[in-house]
Amino acid sequence: MATAKPAKADSKKTDRKEQRKALQLEFARLQRQLLETDVSLIVLLDGWESSGKGRLMRDLVRRLDPRYYEASVIDPPTADETKNVLLWRFWRAIPRRGRIAVLNHSWYSELLNDLSVSPSEREQQLKAFRDFEKTLRNDGMVVIKFFLQQSKRDMKTNIKKLKKDPDRRFLVSERDEKQLADYDDYAKHFASILDECDAGGYGWTIIESSKKKPDAAAALTHVLQALGTKLQAEPDKKPEAPDKKTKSARPVSSLDLDEKLSREEYDRLKKPLQEEAGDLLYRMYTRQKAAVLAFEGTDAAGKGGAIRRLVADMDPRGYDIATTAAPDATERQYNHLWRFMRDMPQNGKLTVFDRSWYGRVLVERIESLTPESRWLQGYDEINAFEHHLVSEGRLVLKFLIVIDKDEQKRRFDARAEDPDKTHKLTDEDWRNREKFDQYLDAMDDMVVRTSTDEAPWIVIPGTDKRYARIAVLQAFVRQARDWLEKDEKAAQKAGRDKKRNKKAKKKK
Amino acid sequence: MATAKPAKADSKKTDRKEQRKALQLEFARLQRQLLETDVSLIVLLDGWESSGKGRLMRDLVRRLDPRYYEASVIDPPTADETKNVLLWRFWRAIPRRGRIAVLNHSWYSELLNDLSVSPSEREQQLKAFRDFEKTLRNDGMVVIKFFLQQSKRDMKTNIKKLKKDPDRRFLVSERDEKQLADYDDYAKHFASILDECDAGGYGWTIIESSKKKPDAAAALTHVLQALGTKLQAEPDKKPEAPDKKTKSARPVSSLDLDEKLSREEYDRLKKPLQEEAGDLLYRMYTRQKAAVLAFEGTDAAGKGGAIRRLVADMDPRGYDIATTAAPDATERQYNHLWRFMRDMPQNGKLTVFDRSWYGRVLVERIESLTPESRWLQGYDEINAFEHHLVSEGRLVLKFLIVIDKDEQKRRFDARAEDPDKTHKLTDEDWRNREKFDQYLDAMDDMVVRTSTDEAPWIVIPGTDKRYARIAVLQAFVRQARDWLEKDEKAAQKAGRDKKRNKKAKKKK
């Protein structure tokens, strides 16, 4: 970890003031440069409570143009926020391209304040944060983390002073008092987490806040240096491209597409599966478990029809269908994963994504909408993103429905003739069709690189619509049931252990 | 109020099924027509609990294209939601142009479930709902409200059945049990609110849900009829335009712009005002009161500078500066007020809008971005919008900073020469300048039509920047202080009354 130091160490007060003013003007100039270069900056303030984060925030943004920065307040998560995955609210707080966000707490905040966190939980969270920051940096965001250090004596003084002031008393929270009471424990805990961050190469910059006011000049100097470096920096090394020659696994293009199901068989199987799917959704609610389903496939593969049959007997209050179109102007101002976080289900809910975050390695790759170096990074970003969802207890299922080029032609022709379906067919579809083989290639790479044990791809032949629909229902029902049963068993075991512990205690 | 009846009353089950299928195909066709005509539809389902809202929702949306509808779940407000104004979460749930939203509860829901609501509170809420619906309709949205009626016996049966099913048991909430226990009281309460809505011309359509399943065919028929009518309807009569000849009040163009303040006076006054503004923000937090400040003025009038001086000593965690640019593609898909609701402050916070919802009657009027009939409706919509904020306990202050054409020229020239300010000057600014007089006219109309007792305009001469900045600070400090003191007194009185009541009770 680094310690931020002001550029010059002038001792006279007026000099310091002049110097800070100059730094702030320089910062304001850099803000305009950010806008031109589309580089964004996120500044995280964390550290001891009552150490002056509010004042530092004010000093940092003092001369900035308010149109292009946001000072966000991150408090302990509210009841609503805890219903989603850990990083959900931070995904929503990141700045657009070219902009600045200053957060008064970071994603580390709850971990820093949890003295009794288990080693595995701590490791899991730190990994999530590392992955998140890597994804942000891949996009050209500069992430700066300041940790406000404070001695026990200063903390005591600050808290005492605040409590005397009736208008500021509320700034002293239970958290402040706890940190002061167990100062040494917290100091050790903070230091060990900061050490680990440092070792992982994603360290913090320490700001000494011991003179009551945290040193804004030091912070500003550090931000300016980091930004200056970034704005001149070379792009990162490109990740390895999928190699066509050595590619052996072709899970999509080598799929047997002849699977069929008779009308009778379909009618017999469908209803019980739909009813069970409906029941499973209610069970998910009861157990407060959330699921994320992504559907991919070429145009006319039958995604929409399969989704409609999947949710037919589900209570609409329990699920959402999020349809993914090309990103709009606002959405393009963020990391490609940002807009999907918006629709992530709360505990107890299901979201079905009709097309998903795989656009990055499908359409964006094929249409050259994203430079190769960036969509290649997409595979890792997506794996990390899904890992986060799974480690937060989500069921993640990804369905890929596959048809061949001839079948697509037949379906396009049928759509063209049916007045109720012709709206589904656009010029765009015909253009995409010309790239059918490229899509198959990209899907092969996608499945190979992102089918993981925790979030596997379910690849389904779609020539026969009935077959595909039943396959989707069956896969969902089986996986959701197993996942819920596992959760129920774990809950029962936890209940039994608790009882046993109680008994054991009584005996003593 | 109307009762929804199916188009035909066929008795055979298969006929009914066929008929519903036909209706749903028709509904799907209308969905596509909506997209073409940019008309949106919001369907509210409300009524007795356990009366089958979930099932009706599912039946309504069954054949729709999921890309263009949203089924939204409205539960009792969460802790986060109650921190904002009553209609905040409903503003966020309205559909885009051309789309359909189905809500499982309406903005009436909390009122319907509050048996002990006072007449004045009830009147206030109903007025807010009427205003809201009017604003939505002005934009061409079709608002359809279904009330699910249910007999006591059926309610009992439904609840009993649900409670037997371990997966569905959670659907029976405390609210269900209360409605059943006090069925007659609720029935009376519901009926009286429905009557009042009816008398106000914004009635509900009753769906009989007595045969356990609410009649989706009846609901569909009603929606189709209402939409058909709307899609062929003539636009509403245009509201009255401001009449230039008879216009006597010219609060903006007749303002004395020569007010000045010396540098010494400015330095003497500024700091204490800024410190009090900072203190007032903390007091707002302590009392959980929220404030909304809007700044308007021609280009270079000095809004940004005044805002920066106003918040200089405020804790950035307590306020947000929301800067208003031209609406983006997504924002244009909603009512003009929609995007401002997003930044409305929670209890205890302050939002400063740098330009605001007055764009409708300023730039949109002058640049003919909105038809005259629509921006003329804007005055009433804005008054109703601000009335809602005030009646929900918000302080609403609107600052208009005025300079003349010559002063603007001087400032543009100065900006062009200063390397740190030249970015603030665009071609757009010079183009706007040509319409300076039109802006003055529009500001006159705006102030006359939207300066209300509860949300007055504060019109400030801006030729002398120092004068304007102090005027803004003084107005904020005075008004915020009065408002907080009034609130504190009311709280003290309430406390005394409570004590007295307790004492009186003890004596008895």
mmCIF file of all heavy atoms in Angstrom, chain A residues 29 32 58 67 78 80 167-168 170 279 283 285 314 323 328 330 420 423, chain B residues 29 32 58 67 78 80 167-168 170 279 283 285 314 323 328 330 420 423:
data_model
loop_
_atom_site.group_PDB
_atom_site.id
_atom_site.type_symbol
_atom_site.label_atom_id
_atom_site.label_comp_id
_atom_site.label_asym_id
_atom_site.label_seq_id
_atom_site.Cartn_x
_atom_site.Cartn_y
_atom_site.Cartn_z
ATOM 1 N N ARG A 29 -9.224 20.762 -14.556
ATOM 2 C CA ARG A 29 -8.761 20.636 -15.945
ATOM 3 C C ARG A 29 -8.756 19.173 -16.365
ATOM 4 O O ARG A 29 -9.168 18.825 -17.458
ATOM 5 C CB ARG A 29 -7.351 21.228 -16.077
ATOM 6 C CG ARG A 29 -7.362 22.571 -16.782
ATOM 7 C CD ARG A 29 -5.987 23.193 -16.791
ATOM 8 N NE ARG A 29 -6.040 24.489 -16.126
ATOM 9 C CZ ARG A 29 -5.181 24.931 -15.226
ATOM 10 N NH1 ARG A 29 -4.153 24.192 -14.843
ATOM 11 N NH2 ARG A 29 -5.336 26.122 -14.688
ATOM 12 N N ARG A 32 -12.051 17.805 -17.413
ATOM 13 C CA ARG A 32 -12.436 18.071 -18.799
ATOM 14 C C ARG A 32 -11.715 17.145 -19.765
ATOM 15 O O ARG A 32 -12.269 16.702 -20.766
ATOM 16 C CB ARG A 32 -12.160 19.535 -19.137
ATOM 17 C CG ARG A 32 -13.039 20.480 -18.323
ATOM 18 C CD ARG A 32 -13.126 21.851 -18.936
ATOM 19 N NE ARG A 32 -11.867 22.565 -18.917
ATOM 20 C CZ ARG A 32 -11.390 23.220 -17.854
ATOM 21 N NH1 ARG A 32 -12.053 23.206 -16.713
ATOM 22 N NH2 ARG A 32 -10.259 23.866 -17.921
ATOM 23 N N ARG A 58 -15.803 16.683 0.178
ATOM 24 C CA ARG A 58 -16.106 18.066 -0.187
ATOM 25 C C ARG A 58 -14.872 18.735 -0.788
ATOM 26 O O ARG A 58 -14.962 19.442 -1.791
ATOM 27 C CB ARG A 58 -16.561 18.813 1.068
ATOM 28 C CG ARG A 58 -17.401 20.024 0.801
ATOM 29 C CD ARG A 58 -17.940 20.566 2.097
ATOM 30 N NE ARG A 58 -16.877 21.023 2.970
ATOM 31 C CZ ARG A 58 -16.959 21.085 4.298
ATOM 32 N NH1 ARG A 58 -18.062 20.695 4.919
ATOM 33 N NH2 ARG A 58 -15.959 21.533 5.018
ATOM 34 N N ARG A 67 -21.777 18.804 -13.369
ATOM 35 C CA ARG A 67 -22.454 18.002 -14.390
ATOM 36 C C ARG A 67 -21.737 16.681 -14.637
ATOM 37 O O ARG A 67 -22.311 15.749 -15.164
ATOM 38 C CB ARG A 67 -22.531 18.768 -15.709
ATOM 39 C CG ARG A 67 -23.620 19.828 -15.708
ATOM 40 C CD ARG A 67 -23.551 20.634 -16.968
ATOM 41 N NE ARG A 67 -22.259 21.334 -17.052
ATOM 42 C CZ ARG A 67 -21.877 22.061 -18.103
ATOM 43 N NH1 ARG A 67 -22.660 22.168 -19.161
ATOM 44 N NH2 ARG A 67 -20.718 22.676 -18.107
ATOM 45 N N THR A 78 -29.319 -1.235 2.818
ATOM 46 C CA THR A 78 -30.686 -1.227 3.330
ATOM 47 C C THR A 78 -31.302 -2.607 3.122
ATOM 48 O O THR A 78 -30.740 -3.453 2.427
ATOM 49 C CB THR A 78 -31.542 -0.201 2.573
ATOM 50 O OG1 THR A 78 -31.642 -0.634 1.207
ATOM 51 C CG2 THR A 78 -30.914 1.173 2.607
ATOM 52 N N ASP A 80 -33.710 -3.452 1.265
ATOM 53 C CA ASP A 80 -33.868 -3.717 -0.161
ATOM 54 C C ASP A 80 -32.563 -4.163 -0.798
ATOM 55 O O ASP A 80 -32.529 -5.054 -1.640
ATOM 56 C CB ASP A 80 -34.331 -2.453 -0.894
ATOM 57 C CG ASP A 80 -35.821 -2.236 -0.721
ATOM 58 O OD1 ASP A 80 -36.422 -2.962 0.086
ATOM 59 O OD2 ASP A 80 -36.361 -1.344 -1.392
ATOM 60 N N ASP A 167 -26.656 19.265 16.046
ATOM 61 C CA ASP A 167 -26.947 19.047 14.628
ATOM 62 C C ASP A 167 -26.071 17.974 13.996
ATOM 63 O O ASP A 167 -26.373 17.463 12.925
ATOM 64 C CB ASP A 167 -26.771 20.351 13.841
ATOM 65 C CG ASP A 167 -27.886 21.329 14.134
ATOM 66 O OD1 ASP A 167 -28.975 20.862 14.543
ATOM 67 O OD2 ASP A 167 -27.672 22.534 13.979
ATOM 68 N N ARG A 168 -24.940 17.693 14.634
ATOM 69 C CA ARG A 168 -24.003 16.736 14.041
ATOM 70 C C ARG A 168 -23.949 15.416 14.811
ATOM 71 O O ARG A 168 -23.285 14.472 14.402
ATOM 72 C CB ARG A 168 -22.592 17.334 13.979
ATOM 73 C CG ARG A 168 -22.427 18.338 12.853
ATOM 74 C CD ARG A 168 -21.102 19.052 12.911
ATOM 75 N NE ARG A 168 -20.984 20.033 11.850
ATOM 76 C CZ ARG A 168 -21.633 21.187 11.809
ATOM 77 N NH1 ARG A 168 -22.450 21.490 12.795
ATOM 78 N NH2 ARG A 168 -21.486 22.015 10.791
ATOM 79 N N PHE A 170 -25.851 13.041 15.038
ATOM 80 C CA PHE A 170 -26.296 11.851 14.304
ATOM 81 C C PHE A 170 -25.166 11.227 13.469
ATOM 82 O O PHE A 170 -25.251 10.081 13.046
ATOM 83 C CB PHE A 170 -27.470 12.202 13.391
ATOM 84 C CG PHE A 170 -27.061 12.934 12.144
ATOM 85 C CD1 PHE A 170 -26.745 12.222 10.988
ATOM 86 C CD2 PHE A 170 -26.965 14.316 12.123
ATOM 87 C CE1 PHE A 170 -26.364 12.888 9.842
ATOM 88 C CE2 PHE A 170 -26.576 14.982 10.983
ATOM 89 C CZ PHE A 170 -26.273 14.260 9.832
ATOM 90 N N ASP A 279 -44.719 -24.492 -9.344
ATOM 91 C CA ASP A 279 -44.533 -24.803 -7.924
ATOM 92 C C ASP A 279 -43.123 -24.446 -7.457
ATOM 93 O O ASP A 279 -42.933 -23.940 -6.355
ATOM 94 C CB ASP A 279 -44.770 -26.299 -7.673
ATOM 95 C CG ASP A 279 -46.246 -26.655 -7.754
ATOM 96 O OD1 ASP A 279 -47.070 -25.712 -7.726
ATOM 97 O OD2 ASP A 279 -46.570 -27.843 -7.858
ATOM 98 N N ARG A 283 -41.703 -22.235 -4.380
ATOM 99 C CA ARG A 283 -40.735 -22.738 -3.389
ATOM 100 C C ARG A 283 -39.521 -21.826 -3.293
ATOM 101 O O ARG A 283 -38.970 -21.616 -2.206
ATOM 102 C CB ARG A 283 -40.280 -24.150 -3.759
ATOM 103 C CG ARG A 283 -41.006 -25.226 -2.968
ATOM 104 C CD ARG A 283 -40.754 -26.590 -3.528
ATOM 105 N NE ARG A 283 -39.490 -27.179 -3.092
ATOM 106 C CZ ARG A 283 -39.045 -28.346 -3.578
ATOM 107 N NH1 ARG A 283 -39.748 -29.003 -4.484
ATOM 108 N NH2 ARG A 283 -37.900 -28.848 -3.140
ATOM 109 N N TYR A 285 -39.559 -18.682 -3.712
ATOM 110 C CA TYR A 285 -39.963 -17.530 -2.903
ATOM 111 C C TYR A 285 -39.922 -17.884 -1.416
ATOM 112 O O TYR A 285 -39.377 -17.142 -0.597
ATOM 113 C CB TYR A 285 -41.351 -17.032 -3.304
ATOM 114 C CG TYR A 285 -41.719 -15.810 -2.507
ATOM 115 C CD1 TYR A 285 -41.323 -14.550 -2.942
ATOM 116 C CD2 TYR A 285 -42.374 -15.914 -1.281
ATOM 117 C CE1 TYR A 285 -41.597 -13.423 -2.190
ATOM 118 C CE2 TYR A 285 -42.647 -14.792 -0.521
ATOM 119 C CZ TYR A 285 -42.264 -13.553 -0.985
ATOM 120 O OH TYR A 285 -42.517 -12.434 -0.235
ATOM 121 N N MET A 314 -46.236 -20.081 -14.239
ATOM 122 C CA MET A 314 -45.594 -19.367 -13.135
ATOM 123 C C MET A 314 -46.387 -18.111 -12.803
ATOM 124 O O MET A 314 -46.972 -17.494 -13.685
ATOM 125 C CB MET A 314 -44.169 -18.959 -13.529
ATOM 126 C CG MET A 314 -43.180 -20.109 -13.623
ATOM 127 S SD MET A 314 -41.533 -19.478 -14.023
ATOM 128 C CE MET A 314 -40.591 -21.016 -14.067
ATOM 129 N N THR A 323 -35.700 -8.449 -21.760
ATOM 130 C CA THR A 323 -35.346 -8.637 -23.159
ATOM 131 C C THR A 323 -34.188 -7.723 -23.506
ATOM 132 O O THR A 323 -34.211 -6.541 -23.174
ATOM 133 C CB THR A 323 -36.553 -8.321 -24.060
ATOM 134 O OG1 THR A 323 -37.721 -8.804 -23.428
ATOM 135 C CG2 THR A 323 -36.395 -8.977 -25.398
ATOM 136 N N ASP A 328 -28.627 1.156 -25.478
ATOM 137 C CA ASP A 328 -28.944 2.523 -25.894
ATOM 138 C C ASP A 328 -27.791 3.457 -25.518
ATOM 139 O O ASP A 328 -26.781 3.026 -24.970
ATOM 140 C CB ASP A 328 -30.295 2.987 -25.317
ATOM 141 C CG ASP A 328 -30.250 3.189 -23.813
ATOM 142 O OD1 ASP A 328 -29.156 3.334 -23.251
ATOM 143 O OD2 ASP A 328 -31.327 3.193 -23.198
ATOM 144 N N THR A 330 -27.289 5.701 -23.251
ATOM 145 C CA THR A 330 -26.886 5.710 -21.847
ATOM 146 C C THR A 330 -26.129 4.429 -21.495
ATOM 147 O O THR A 330 -25.084 4.467 -20.855
ATOM 148 C CB THR A 330 -28.127 5.845 -20.942
ATOM 149 O OG1 THR A 330 -28.802 7.048 -21.302
ATOM 150 C CG2 THR A 330 -27.736 5.898 -19.476
ATOM 151 N N ASP A 420 -49.666 -12.504 -38.459
ATOM 152 C CA ASP A 420 -49.421 -12.304 -37.032
ATOM 153 C C ASP A 420 -47.946 -12.500 -36.666
ATOM 154 O O ASP A 420 -47.569 -12.316 -35.517
ATOM 155 C CB ASP A 420 -50.275 -13.267 -36.194
ATOM 156 C CG ASP A 420 -51.656 -12.680 -35.952
ATOM 157 O OD1 ASP A 420 -51.767 -11.435 -36.006
ATOM 158 O OD2 ASP A 420 -52.602 -13.448 -35.749
ATOM 159 N N HIS A 423 -44.252 -9.329 -38.356
ATOM 160 C CA HIS A 423 -43.559 -8.245 -37.637
ATOM 161 C C HIS A 423 -42.285 -8.750 -36.965
ATOM 162 O O HIS A 423 -41.439 -7.965 -36.577
ATOM 163 C CB HIS A 423 -44.496 -7.661 -36.581
ATOM 164 C CG HIS A 423 -44.752 -8.597 -35.440
ATOM 165 N ND1 HIS A 423 -45.660 -9.627 -35.531
ATOM 166 C CD2 HIS A 423 -44.187 -8.693 -34.222
ATOM 167 C CE1 HIS A 423 -45.659 -10.311 -34.397
ATOM 168 N NE2 HIS A 423 -44.778 -9.765 -33.586
ATOM 169 N N ARG B 29 -52.260 -8.262 -31.176
ATOM 170 C CA ARG B 29 -52.243 -7.389 -32.356
ATOM 171 C C ARG B 29 -52.242 -5.927 -31.925
ATOM 172 O O ARG B 29 -51.518 -5.101 -32.464
ATOM 173 C CB ARG B 29 -53.461 -7.688 -33.234
ATOM 174 C CG ARG B 29 -53.094 -8.469 -34.480
ATOM 175 C CD ARG B 29 -54.325 -8.848 -35.280
ATOM 176 N NE ARG B 29 -54.383 -10.300 -35.411
ATOM 177 C CZ ARG B 29 -55.449 -11.056 -35.208
ATOM 178 N NH1 ARG B 29 -56.593 -10.496 -34.841
ATOM 179 N NH2 ARG B 29 -55.385 -12.348 -35.367
ATOM 180 N N ARG B 32 -48.952 -4.534 -30.905
ATOM 181 C CA ARG B 32 -48.099 -4.079 -32.006
ATOM 182 C C ARG B 32 -48.541 -2.715 -32.519
ATOM 183 O O ARG B 32 -47.730 -1.869 -32.889
ATOM 184 C CB ARG B 32 -48.106 -5.114 -33.127
ATOM 185 C CG ARG B 32 -47.452 -6.416 -32.695
ATOM 186 C CD ARG B 32 -47.030 -7.264 -33.857
ATOM 187 N NE ARG B 32 -48.152 -7.762 -34.637
ATOM 188 C CZ ARG B 32 -48.880 -8.839 -34.296
ATOM 189 N NH1 ARG B 32 -48.618 -9.494 -33.190
ATOM 190 N NH2 ARG B 32 -49.862 -9.238 -35.061
ATOM 191 N N ARG B 58 -51.473 -13.137 -15.252
ATOM 192 C CA ARG B 58 -50.913 -14.139 -16.160
ATOM 193 C C ARG B 58 -51.801 -14.275 -17.387
ATOM 194 O O ARG B 58 -51.305 -14.348 -18.515
ATOM 195 C CB ARG B 58 -50.844 -15.464 -15.415
ATOM 196 C CG ARG B 58 -49.846 -16.438 -15.975
ATOM 197 C CD ARG B 58 -49.717 -17.626 -15.064
ATOM 198 N NE ARG B 58 -50.965 -18.359 -14.969
ATOM 199 C CZ ARG B 58 -51.306 -19.126 -13.930
ATOM 200 N NH1 ARG B 58 -50.507 -19.230 -12.897
ATOM 201 N NH2 ARG B 58 -52.450 -19.770 -13.926
ATOM 202 N N ARG B 67 -41.109 -8.458 -24.988
ATOM 203 C CA ARG B 67 -40.213 -7.308 -25.146
ATOM 204 C C ARG B 67 -40.924 -5.988 -24.890
ATOM 205 O O ARG B 67 -40.296 -4.980 -24.652
ATOM 206 C CB ARG B 67 -39.639 -7.282 -26.562
ATOM 207 C CG ARG B 67 -38.508 -8.267 -26.752
ATOM 208 C CD ARG B 67 -38.097 -8.298 -28.188
ATOM 209 N NE ARG B 67 -39.197 -8.742 -29.040
ATOM 210 C CZ ARG B 67 -39.141 -8.790 -30.367
ATOM 211 N NH1 ARG B 67 -38.060 -8.390 -30.998
ATOM 212 N NH2 ARG B 67 -40.164 -9.222 -31.075
ATOM 213 N N THR B 78 -41.485 -0.611 0.717
ATOM 214 C CA THR B 78 -40.380 -1.027 1.570
ATOM 215 C C THR B 78 -39.874 0.194 2.330
ATOM 216 O O THR B 78 -40.254 1.329 2.042
ATOM 217 C CB THR B 78 -39.223 -1.573 0.725
ATOM 218 O OG1 THR B 78 -38.716 -0.506 -0.084
ATOM 219 C CG2 THR B 78 -39.678 -2.697 -0.160
ATOM 220 N N ASP B 80 -37.087 1.650 2.132
ATOM 221 C CA ASP B 80 -36.483 2.607 1.203
ATOM 222 C C ASP B 80 -37.539 3.449 0.504
ATOM 223 O O ASP B 80 -37.371 4.642 0.303
ATOM 224 C CB ASP B 80 -35.688 1.869 0.123
ATOM 225 C CG ASP B 80 -34.329 1.445 0.638
ATOM 226 O OD1 ASP B 80 -34.104 1.570 1.856
ATOM 227 O OD2 ASP B 80 -33.511 0.990 -0.182
ATOM 228 N N ASP B 167 -46.413 -24.652 -0.501
ATOM 229 C CA ASP B 167 -45.687 -23.761 -1.398
ATOM 230 C C ASP B 167 -46.391 -22.425 -1.631
ATOM 231 O O ASP B 167 -45.784 -21.464 -2.085
ATOM 232 C CB ASP B 167 -45.454 -24.428 -2.759
ATOM 233 C CG ASP B 167 -44.403 -25.523 -2.655
ATOM 234 O OD1 ASP B 167 -43.578 -25.439 -1.730
ATOM 235 O OD2 ASP B 167 -44.429 -26.450 -3.484
ATOM 236 N N ARG B 168 -47.690 -22.405 -1.379
ATOM 237 C CA ARG B 168 -48.455 -21.182 -1.667
ATOM 238 C C ARG B 168 -48.891 -20.459 -0.390
ATOM 239 O O ARG B 168 -49.451 -19.366 -0.449
ATOM 240 C CB ARG B 168 -49.694 -21.513 -2.507
ATOM 241 C CG ARG B 168 -49.364 -21.757 -3.960
ATOM 242 C CD ARG B 168 -50.551 -22.268 -4.737
ATOM 243 N NE ARG B 168 -50.202 -22.537 -6.126
ATOM 244 C CZ ARG B 168 -49.466 -23.568 -6.528
ATOM 245 N NH1 ARG B 168 -49.011 -24.435 -5.640
ATOM 246 N NH2 ARG B 168 -49.178 -23.739 -7.800
ATOM 247 N N PHE B 170 -47.436 -18.750 1.678
ATOM 248 C CA PHE B 170 -46.896 -17.393 1.874
ATOM 249 C C PHE B 170 -47.733 -16.329 1.162
ATOM 250 O O PHE B 170 -47.612 -15.149 1.450
ATOM 251 C CB PHE B 170 -45.448 -17.328 1.377
ATOM 252 C CG PHE B 170 -45.335 -17.275 -0.121
ATOM 253 C CD1 PHE B 170 -45.318 -16.040 -0.775
ATOM 254 C CD2 PHE B 170 -45.263 -18.431 -0.874
ATOM 255 C CE1 PHE B 170 -45.219 -15.974 -2.149
ATOM 256 C CE2 PHE B 170 -45.174 -18.381 -2.253
ATOM 257 C CZ PHE B 170 -45.151 -17.140 -2.891
ATOM 258 N N ASP B 279 -25.241 23.933 8.444
ATOM 259 C CA ASP B 279 -25.927 23.483 9.659
ATOM 260 C C ASP B 279 -27.368 23.072 9.370
ATOM 261 O O ASP B 279 -27.868 22.092 9.913
ATOM 262 C CB ASP B 279 -25.932 24.599 10.713
ATOM 263 C CG ASP B 279 -24.544 24.786 11.330
ATOM 264 O OD1 ASP B 279 -23.700 23.896 11.150
ATOM 265 O OD2 ASP B 279 -24.322 25.827 11.978
ATOM 266 N N ARG B 283 -29.524 19.743 10.170
ATOM 267 C CA ARG B 283 -30.811 19.749 10.887
ATOM 268 C C ARG B 283 -31.889 19.046 10.075
ATOM 269 O O ARG B 283 -32.753 18.362 10.639
ATOM 270 C CB ARG B 283 -31.257 21.185 11.181
ATOM 271 C CG ARG B 283 -30.942 21.618 12.605
ATOM 272 C CD ARG B 283 -31.132 23.087 12.788
ATOM 273 N NE ARG B 283 -32.511 23.487 13.017
ATOM 274 C CZ ARG B 283 -32.896 24.766 13.077
ATOM 275 N NH1 ARG B 283 -31.990 25.746 12.935
ATOM 276 N NH2 ARG B 283 -34.149 25.071 13.302
ATOM 277 N N TYR B 285 -31.405 16.594 8.139
ATOM 278 C CA TYR B 285 -31.192 15.157 8.310
ATOM 279 C C TYR B 285 -31.768 14.681 9.640
ATOM 280 O O TYR B 285 -32.490 13.680 9.718
ATOM 281 C CB TYR B 285 -29.716 14.798 8.210
ATOM 282 C CG TYR B 285 -29.526 13.307 8.310
ATOM 283 C CD1 TYR B 285 -29.620 12.514 7.172
ATOM 284 C CD2 TYR B 285 -29.341 12.690 9.533
ATOM 285 C CE1 TYR B 285 -29.513 11.139 7.254
ATOM 286 C CE2 TYR B 285 -29.233 11.308 9.627
ATOM 287 C CZ TYR B 285 -29.316 10.538 8.493
ATOM 288 O OH TYR B 285 -29.224 9.175 8.578
ATOM 289 N N MET B 314 -21.741 22.590 2.820
ATOM 290 C CA MET B 314 -22.654 21.469 3.101
ATOM 291 C C MET B 314 -21.890 20.161 2.981
ATOM 292 O O MET B 314 -20.982 20.027 2.170
ATOM 293 C CB MET B 314 -23.818 21.471 2.102
ATOM 294 C CG MET B 314 -24.819 22.592 2.301
ATOM 295 S SD MET B 314 -26.150 22.434 1.082
ATOM 296 C CE MET B 314 -27.180 23.841 1.538
ATOM 297 N N THR B 323 -27.937 17.651 -12.682
ATOM 298 C CA THR B 323 -27.822 18.574 -13.800
ATOM 299 C C THR B 323 -28.691 18.084 -14.936
ATOM 300 O O THR B 323 -28.675 16.903 -15.274
ATOM 301 C CB THR B 323 -26.363 18.651 -14.261
ATOM 302 O OG1 THR B 323 -25.520 18.617 -13.107
ATOM 303 C CG2 THR B 323 -26.123 19.932 -15.011
ATOM 304 N N ASP B 328 -32.391 12.146 -22.976
ATOM 305 C CA ASP B 328 -31.817 11.168 -23.911
ATOM 306 C C ASP B 328 -32.937 10.298 -24.488
ATOM 307 O O ASP B 328 -34.112 10.475 -24.177
ATOM 308 C CB ASP B 328 -30.706 10.342 -23.254
ATOM 309 C CG ASP B 328 -31.229 9.392 -22.185
ATOM 310 O OD1 ASP B 328 -32.438 9.087 -22.193
ATOM 311 O OD2 ASP B 328 -30.432 8.976 -21.338
ATOM 312 N N THR B 330 -33.944 7.273 -24.051
ATOM 313 C CA THR B 330 -34.793 6.574 -23.087
ATOM 314 C C THR B 330 -35.743 7.548 -22.398
ATOM 315 O O THR B 330 -36.935 7.284 -22.262
ATOM 316 C CB THR B 330 -33.927 5.860 -22.032
ATOM 317 O OG1 THR B 330 -33.049 4.956 -22.709
ATOM 318 C CG2 THR B 330 -34.767 5.099 -21.036
ATOM 319 N N ASP B 420 -9.640 28.437 -19.000
ATOM 320 C CA ASP B 420 -10.321 27.548 -18.066
ATOM 321 C C ASP B 420 -11.844 27.654 -18.167
ATOM 322 O O ASP B 420 -12.568 26.931 -17.483
ATOM 323 C CB ASP B 420 -9.901 27.846 -16.617
ATOM 324 C CG ASP B 420 -8.628 27.087 -16.266
ATOM 325 O OD1 ASP B 420 -8.372 26.049 -16.912
ATOM 326 O OD2 ASP B 420 -7.885 27.547 -15.387
ATOM 327 N N HIS B 423 -14.442 26.170 -22.378
ATOM 328 C CA HIS B 423 -15.227 24.946 -22.600
ATOM 329 C C HIS B 423 -16.692 25.137 -22.227
ATOM 330 O O HIS B 423 -17.539 24.342 -22.611
ATOM 331 C CB HIS B 423 -14.649 23.804 -21.767
ATOM 332 C CG HIS B 423 -14.871 23.991 -20.301
ATOM 333 N ND1 HIS B 423 -14.097 24.828 -19.539
ATOM 334 C CD2 HIS B 423 -15.808 23.489 -19.470
ATOM 335 C CE1 HIS B 423 -14.536 24.815 -18.290
ATOM 336 N NE2 HIS B 423 -15.566 24.015 -18.223
#
